[in-house]
Amino acid sequence: MTAVHETPAPPRTGSPLILGTMGWGADRDRARGALRAGLDAGITVLDTADIYGAGVSEETVGALVAELPAAAREALRVQTKTGIVLHEPGPDGRPRVRYDNSPAYVRAGLEASLDRLGLAAVDTLLIHRPDVLTPVADTVRAFLDAREAGLVRRLGVSNMGTARVLEYQRALAGLAADGTGLQCVQMELGLHHRTLVEAVVLANHDDAPATAGAADLGAVCAAEGIELQAWGPLAQGRYTRGSDGSVPRDRAEQAALAAAGGPAAVVAEVALELEVSREAVVLAWLLRLPWGVRPVVGSQDPARLAACAGAEDAAARMDGAQWHRLWTAARGETLP
Ligand SMILES: NC(=O)c1ccc[n+]([C@@H]2O[C@H](COP(=O)([O-])OP(=O)(O)OC[C@H]3O[C@@H](n4cnc5c(N)ncnc54)[C@H](OP(=O)(O)O)[C@@H]3O)[C@@H](O)[C@H]2O)c1
């Protein structure tokens, strides 16, 4: 395993935040508001998948991107995912989930995504979840064929452990003539889902989380120059409930927020100290990690997205004590 843990994090290409579109349904006005707010917040990457809304997310992304002026359209990167079969009926007629990363499925999935998006190519295709029955090299060959056909520029993966990520990296190194590597790995990561962080910090401790092979993923991604994207970074609002995206302005407001207790109160305290929104604090906790993490934010609320824009500044000013206070509060226990 090639893990050079001292290597600095890879520079992020584009905005620190990515706009997730899993919730973009048929309500185009709501999605349009999210896209505008995302662009205003400096976001340059849209994340979708063939299974989101059974294709409706991709259709909405495609329609809204087509409405943009040419310059804004060209500055946007669209990434999509394939490899999960979600709506196939089982013997009892009810849909069963399975994973398929075979060349035929990946190529057909990508072509169907491009149709829905109305695009000639996507920037990045992510393999959504691992299909253990398909050798990684077969999936990589399918990506390279699609790239040759001009349908996609880069390859990413999602929800995969370190060994499989490195298998992709090695297969690309062996098969791609131009030395292209894996673009990104997308994993659930945030104050609510701290596995990748706690696996490092609590190594060999009784409270160490079960990581199923992803324990050193953050450092390995940084060392390999692979972008680590964090899905679910706002924890669906668990730590910012009731927020309108504004910065808590005074001690009275902070005291009211803190009265609830628990991790949300610590998020509010740190927001007051840094004079940023609570959303910015939650995302800054991720950006502060030395792995070049890019949160994939799933909000459609323009005020919340505007609040998220302060995350990079908050991360630059968040000190180690504040970071640890947030972590400890989310964990619900003091550190060993
Ligand atoms: N690779 C994968 O397997 C995978 C899995 C899941 C998701 N994803 C990607 O990651 C993106 C983000 O995932 P996510 O949506 O689960 O994560 P998220 O960004 O943590 O959560 C966004 C959701 O939480 C709500 N929310 C946030 N703050 C709130 C608050 N203070 N009060 C009430 N509601 C609040 C948002 O509602 P509002 O719209 O009202 O703000 C939105 O529904 C998705 O869009 C998708 O692109 C990838």
Side-chain angles (χ1 to χ4, degrees), residues 149-194:
L151 306 180
V152 58
R153 280 180 275 279
R154 298 182 292 184
L155 180 67
V157 296
S158 178
N159 305 304
M160 299 202 191
T162 310
R164 200 158 179 94
V165 165
L166 288 173
E167 242 187 284
Y168 269 92
Q169 197 65 333
R170 276 196 294 271
L172 278 165
L175 295 168
D178 63 351
T180 190
L182 205 54
Q183 151 65 15
C184 61
V185 179
Q186 194 175 109
M187 301 290 281
E188 185 171 18
L189 179 60
L191 266 177
H192 71 299
H193 192 95
R194 305 170 301 277

Side-chain angles (χ1 to χ4, degrees), residues 22 47 158-159 186 234-236 240-241 296 298-300 304:
M22 188 170 68
D47 178 81
S158 178
N159 305 304
Q186 194 175 109
L234 292 173
Q236 303 271 316
T240 54
R241 198 65 62 198
V296 186
S299 176
Q300 288 189 70
R304 216 179 317 285

Side-chain angles (χ1 to χ4, degrees), residues 18-24 30 46-49 52 79 81 84 126 128-129 157-159 186-188 192 230-244 278-279 283 296-302 304-305:
I18 291 172
L19 188 57
T21 67
M22 188 170 68
W24 287 21
R30 186 158 179 244
L46 297 183
D47 178 81
T48 183
Y52 293 167
Q79 61 181 40
K81 314 182 195 80
I84 298 180
L126 282 78
H128 210 153
R129 285 191 183 268
V157 296
S158 178
N159 305 304
Q186 194 175 109
M187 301 290 281
E188 185 171 18
H192 71 299
W231 66 260
L234 292 173
Q236 303 271 316
R238 189 184 305 177
Y239 307 113
T240 54
R241 198 65 62 198
S243 165
D244 62 1
R278 287 183 275 158
E279 287 83 352
L283 298 178
V296 186
V297 176
S299 176
Q300 288 189 70
D301 181 316
R304 216 179 317 285
L305 286 165

Side-chain angles (χ1 to χ4, degrees), residues 97-141:
V97 181
R98 67 183 174 89
Y99 304 152
D100 189 342
N101 303 168
S102 66
Y105 192 84
V106 166
R107 181 60 176 259
L110 173 59
E111 288 178 3
S113 289
L114 292 174
D115 268 356
R116 285 188 289 269
L117 287 161
L119 295 173
V122 280
D123 189 81
T124 308
L125 177 70
L126 282 78
I127 305 302
H128 210 153
R129 285 191 183 268
D131 159 19
V132 75
L133 300 179
T134 300
V136 163
D138 290 0
T139 311
V140 165
R141 275 193 206 93

Side-chain angles (χ1 to χ4, degrees), residues 321-335:
Q322 287 164 326
W323 188 90
H324 278 83
R325 236 160 78 213
L326 289 162
W327 175 40
T328 307
R331 187 170 125 78
E333 275 181 66
T334 54
L335 299 184

Side-chain angles (χ1 to χ4, degrees), residues 304-324:
R304 216 179 317 285
L305 286 165
C308 292
E312 204 177 17
D313 165 55
R317 292 185 293 111
M318 180 179 283
D319 64 27
Q322 287 164 326
W323 188 90
H324 278 83

